[in-house]
Amino acid sequence: MLKLIGFITSICLIILIFLRVPQESVGLSSFTSKSDFLGSSPSSVERSLNILTTFGILIYFGIAIQLNLSNI
């Protein structure tokens, strides 16, 4: 069960990292200006992605440590 949660977390992190586009790129800012899918402004979308990415990394590290300790 823990391996499945770790796998899902890693896939979600990959998706979140691909959503993070550099500021000078037009990708995220033009996408948010055309549709209200990710939020109201690019800065709030970037902040939300930062929080989600940080939270996902912490969960992933916790699961990785737990799996490593269970293998000992």
Side-chain angles (χ1 to χ4, degrees):
M1 181 67 180
L2 199 56
K3 287 184 180 183
L4 179 65
I5 295 171
F7 177 74
I8 292 171
T9 303
S10 63
I11 296 297
C12 290
L13 280 173
I14 291 170
I15 292 169
L16 283 174
I17 290 170
F18 279 133
L19 282 176
R20 295 182 46 85
V21 183
Q23 282 288 349
E24 54 275 350
S25 177
V26 187
L28 188 60
S29 60
S30 69
F31 180 72
T32 56
S33 65
K34 291 179 184 176
S35 69
D36 200 21
F37 179 68
L38 290 176
S40 58
S41 68
S43 61
S44 66
V45 171
E46 182 181 357
R47 184 171 185 268
S48 299
L49 288 176
N50 285 341
I51 292 170
L52 284 173
T53 305
T54 303
F55 186 66
I57 289 171
L58 291 175
I59 290 174
Y60 184 78
F61 279 150
I63 291 172
I65 290 170
Q66 185 68 24
L67 285 173
N68 284 335
L69 289 177
S70 68
N71 286 335
I72 291 178

